[in-house]
């Protein structure tokens, strides 16, 4: 549970810092493929299901809150460490985005990924935690998958 609290807190602090640092539309180059650029997301992943009015915001918050509670429950009941950390990372990111949406009505994004003049997407650390958690869950599932498919010795057949 501490991992959920720590990851959510780190994300929320970075969002406050980003809002201060990038106020007024300032963009800061961080790396050749990554800028700091403030954006506000009214929807969920890739701006899907946007909440433009109070009723849709309440529905979105309720859905996000319920799913966050489910992932927290999975984290608390996971017996394997990798699975527990994976669910905890996902839960921390989800909780941070729910709190951000509850406080501000939107989710604050500020990491702007781009290459060759193409802007791919803008995200935040909560999204990084969620993605890292998914990777941990995949890594946790690989030995089971290899065992069930009869692949001996790893990746070779």
């Amino acid at each position: 549970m501490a991992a959920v609290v720590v990851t959510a807190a780190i994300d929320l602090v970075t969002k406050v810092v980003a809002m201060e640092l990038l106020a007024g539309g300032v963009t800061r180059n961080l790396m050749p493929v990554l800028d700091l650029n403030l954006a506000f997301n009214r929807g969920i992943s890739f701006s899907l299901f946007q909440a433009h009015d109070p009723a849709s915001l309440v529905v979105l918050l309720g859905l996000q809150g319920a799913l966050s509670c489910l992932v927290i429950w999975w984290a608390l009941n996971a017996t394997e460490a990798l699975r527990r950390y994976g669910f905890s990372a996902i839960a921390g990111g989800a909780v941070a985005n729910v709190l951000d949406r509850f406080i501000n009505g939107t989710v604050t994004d500020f990491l702007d990924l781009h290459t060759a003049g193409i802007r791919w997407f803008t995200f935040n650390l909560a999204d990084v935690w969620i993605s890292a958690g998914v990777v941990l869950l995949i890594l946790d599932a690989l030995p089971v998958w290899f065992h069930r498919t009869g692949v001996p010795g790893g990746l070779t057949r």
Side-chain angles (χ1 to χ4, degrees):
M1 191 64 174
V4 174
V5 172
V6 169
T7 54
I10 291 169
D11 174 74
L12 291 170
V13 168
T14 61
K15 288 174 179 173
V16 169
V17 171
M19 285 191 282
E20 291 293 322
L21 185 66
L22 305 171
V26 173
T27 298
R28 298 182 189 271
N29 183 274
L30 193 59
M31 290 189 265
V33 297
L34 188 66
D35 290 339
L36 297 177
N37 186 27
L38 196 58
F40 299 96
N41 186 352
R42 293 192 174 279
I44 56 173
S45 298
F46 303 107
S47 298
L48 298 173
F49 311 114
Q50 293 204 18
H52 290 291
D53 58 79
S56 59
L57 179 61
V58 168
V59 169
L60 193 55
L61 280 168
L63 179 63
Q64 283 185 290
L67 290 173
S68 296
C69 289
L70 178 63
V71 177
I72 289 170
W73 184 83
W74 286 336
L76 290 172
N77 289 287
T79 56
E80 302 293 325
L82 202 55
R83 191 172 308 152
R84 186 172 47 254
Y85 290 131
F87 283 129
S88 294
I90 293 169
V95 166
N97 279 340
V98 168
L99 290 172
D100 189 24
R101 186 180 310 280
F102 179 76
I103 293 165
N104 298 312
T106 64
V107 172
T108 307
D109 292 325
F110 58 90
L111 297 165
D112 190 12
L113 186 65
H114 58 85
T115 59
I118 300 170
R119 287 187 64 221
W120 293 101
F121 46 86
T122 305
F123 57 101
N124 56 47
L125 286 184
D127 300 325
V128 173
W129 306 146
I130 292 167
S131 299
V134 169
V135 169
L136 291 175
L137 292 177
I138 290 169
L139 291 174
D140 178 67
L142 284 177
V144 172
W145 182 83
F146 286 131
H147 177 72
R148 286 186 184 157
T149 58
V151 178
L155 296 174
T156 58
R157 240 194 160 146

